Amino acid sequence: LVAASLFFPTGEYDTATVNIPDRQIKVANLGKNRFAFDPVVAYTYLDPTTGREFSAVGGVTFSAENDATDYQTAPEAHLELTAMQYLPNRLGLGLTGYAYKQLGDDNGAGADAIRFATGQDSLQAEVYGIGPLITYSTKVGDRSVSMKLKYLHEFSARKRFESDVVTASVNFSF
């Protein structure tokens, strides 16, 4: 599968000022306030006789400049891998993980201000994550419903925070 996602700068966006001794820098809120384009290539191998699945998705996110902060994020490469075992009771158990790495350094006056304030030579980030995945599929009436619960532990982060992330999703077919 080859696909692409577009991200738009939606919602309210404000910059904030952080005071550090002898200097002041502007930093962005949780919104990104920029367009982005993310082409991906995905592959899934599923053996219905054994119930084993192996999936991979790789892509590169290209971001436009955030005009409010004069910050240009470098292209971001990402690779996600999943191995699943589906059981006869419609339960699936698996292991999932990812790698994220910027392919260059961020630039613009906003990036320069953050480098100066933090004393960093580069803002080029990377992080890895791994954890368990549980899925369950059923029907509600004649509609298929699938549920997913995932925990990811991040490690070996560079120039970004490490997190433990739990996500849950429920998908209905129409």
Side-chain angles (χ1 to χ4, degrees):
L1 168 75
V2 175
S5 296
L6 291 172
F7 300 94
F8 296 91
T10 58
E12 188 175 332
Y13 180 84
D14 293 310
T15 57
T17 302
V18 175
N19 291 314
I20 298 173
D22 299 324
R23 54 191 155 191
Q24 190 179 70
I25 62 168
K26 288 195 171 229
V27 294
N29 64 2
L30 294 178
K32 296 190 183 241
N33 194 44
R34 50 100 171 125
F35 290 95
F37 174 65
D38 187 22
V40 298
V41 175
Y43 175 78
T44 295
Y45 169 79
L46 173 62
D47 184 339
T49 58
T50 65
R52 290 192 184 114
E53 174 189 319
F54 300 97
S55 296
V57 179
V60 178
T61 305
F62 300 93
S63 299
E65 181 179 306
N66 178 332
D67 293 330
T69 59
D70 190 23
Y71 197 105
Q72 174 70 55
T73 301
E76 303 160 292
H78 51 92
L79 174 65
E80 300 152 37
L81 302 170
T82 300
M84 293 286 298
Q85 176 64 57
Y86 294 99
L87 306 173
N89 62 1
R90 297 179 284 194
L91 189 68
L93 303 173
L95 184 65
T96 189
Y98 65 89
Y100 163 91
K101 182 175 178 72
Q102 282 187 289
L103 301 177
D105 199 7
D106 299 342
N107 60 53
D112 292 342
I114 291 174
R115 269 193 291 279
F116 175 75
T118 60
Q120 300 294 312
D121 293 338
S122 169
L123 300 175
Q124 188 173 358
E126 71 179 79
V127 69
Y128 304 89
I130 193 165
L133 169 67
I134 300 170
T135 65
Y136 182 73
S137 298
T138 190
K139 287 207 176 247
V140 175
D142 62 342
R143 307 275 185 211
S144 294
V145 178
S146 63
M147 295 168 260
K148 184 187 299 185
L149 180 64
K150 180 170 35 172
Y151 166 76
L152 287 163
H153 171 72
E154 291 185 331
F155 59 94
S156 297
R158 201 181 100 206
K159 309 295 186 205
R160 65 174 279 166
F161 296 110
E162 286 182 3
S163 302
D164 288 315
V165 179
V166 175
T167 58
S169 64
V170 178
N171 298 301
F172 300 90
S173 68
F174 293 94

